[in-house]
Amino acid sequence: MKQASIFEGVVRGEDSHTNLLRNLMLADAPYGMAVCELLRPTGFNLQFTELPDIQTQVTLATPGLNHGRADMLIESGSAVLLVEVKTALYCDLTDNQDFGLDDQGKPKLKGYVSYLKYRQQQGAYVGLSLLAPRSWVHRETIRRQLAQLDIPTQSRTWEQVCTLSLNPHFGKLAGEFGAFLENDFMDISFAPEEVSLLTSELGLKA
């Protein structure tokens, strides 16, 4: 049975979901580390010796250019992980978030990808992760586009964050967030691999 959360009626929209997730990650270090591990692309060499710098609604600027605004930017040492967040099922990507191919069949070097390429040229190890509801209408299209990029990418769901947040190993506020997400995404259902997060090394890592 779903439980009421203290965040009900307070958190609405993409930015507030992202800000709350970021604040809880910083307030509860084991939870923050676990969420970072969840969002981390496979093969992305990001070592968490301490909680990394996590910012939200970050303007992505390079000399003379503006590459849009990142929902979340996670930096640790020389590693940079950009997280694109969606909460509405029918929300489209903006032009800066277009990860498709150009007329020559190569990934478009603009927006987020252009920014990450710049950081890569500056010596950073870069990655790109998508966080959206499982039923987001563009998920499969974007998943295919991400797979065509030559940087590490990952696609995760709010349902997976919900499962992780409900792990009693983490603090009370993380549990409240999990209950909020369970109510927020009414069609939530857990696949076996998501349920396993409750007892996996990822979910229990301190």
Side-chain angles (χ1 to χ4, degrees):
M1 181 178 179
K2 296 178 181 178
Q3 299 180 349
S5 167
I6 61 173
F7 299 120
E8 296 292 337
V10 177
V11 177
R12 298 186 181 90
E14 187 176 290
D15 285 355
S16 57
H17 276 75
T18 308
N19 289 337
L20 178 56
L21 176 61
R22 178 256 186 192
N23 291 339
L24 293 175
M25 290 168 69
L26 293 177
D28 184 341
Y31 177 71
M33 301 287 266
V35 174
C36 284
E37 284 292 307
L38 180 68
L39 296 174
R40 181 177 66 86
T42 302
F44 187 62
N45 187 23
L46 186 58
Q47 299 297 320
F48 295 108
T49 54
E50 59 183 27
L51 198 64
D53 180 37
I54 307 172
Q55 302 179 68
T56 57
Q57 289 85 57
V58 183
T59 298
L60 303 176
T62 58
L65 293 173
N66 186 319
H67 303 275
R69 190 189 72 162
D71 293 314
M72 182 179 287
L73 196 66
I74 302 173
E75 299 193 50
S76 179
S78 61
V80 178
L81 178 62
L82 193 157
V83 184
E84 170 58 22
V85 177
K86 297 295 180 187
T87 56
L89 298 183
Y90 298 96
C91 183
D92 292 326
L93 291 176
T94 68
D95 190 55
N96 283 319
Q97 301 161 357
D98 185 356
F99 310 127
L101 303 180
D102 60 21
D103 295 337
Q104 284 74 46
K106 298 179 180 180
K108 298 175 181 177
L109 290 180
K110 64 177 183 178
Y112 291 1
V113 176
S114 178
Y115 174 79
L116 289 174
K117 285 293 186 180
Y118 173 82
R119 294 295 302 269
Q120 190 176 55
Q121 292 169 0
Q122 299 300 307
Y125 194 79
V126 301
L128 177 62
S129 185
L130 170 72
L131 176 60
R134 183 189 292 134
S135 300
W136 184 48
V137 295
H138 302 292
R139 172 170 291 282
E140 283 307 306
T141 298
I142 301 306
R143 185 188 62 78
R144 290 192 296 268
Q145 291 181 355
L146 290 176
Q148 296 170 334
L149 299 179
D150 60 356
I151 58 176
T153 63
Q154 183 61 273
S155 178
R156 294 298 191 183
T157 70
W158 279 107
E159 287 86 345
Q160 289 174 304
V161 175
C162 174
T163 306
L164 184 64
S165 302
L166 291 172
N167 189 322
H169 174 73
F170 303 120
K172 181 179 178 181
L173 288 178
E176 290 283 352
F177 187 49
F180 166 73
L181 292 176
E182 190 174 19
N183 289 322
D184 201 34
F185 300 101
M186 297 300 292
D187 62 345
I188 190 169
S189 60
F190 299 138
E193 65 271 16
E194 294 170 342
V195 174
S196 70
L197 283 174
L198 290 171
T199 54
S200 70
E201 180 183 356
L202 171 61
L204 296 178
K205 183 177 289 186

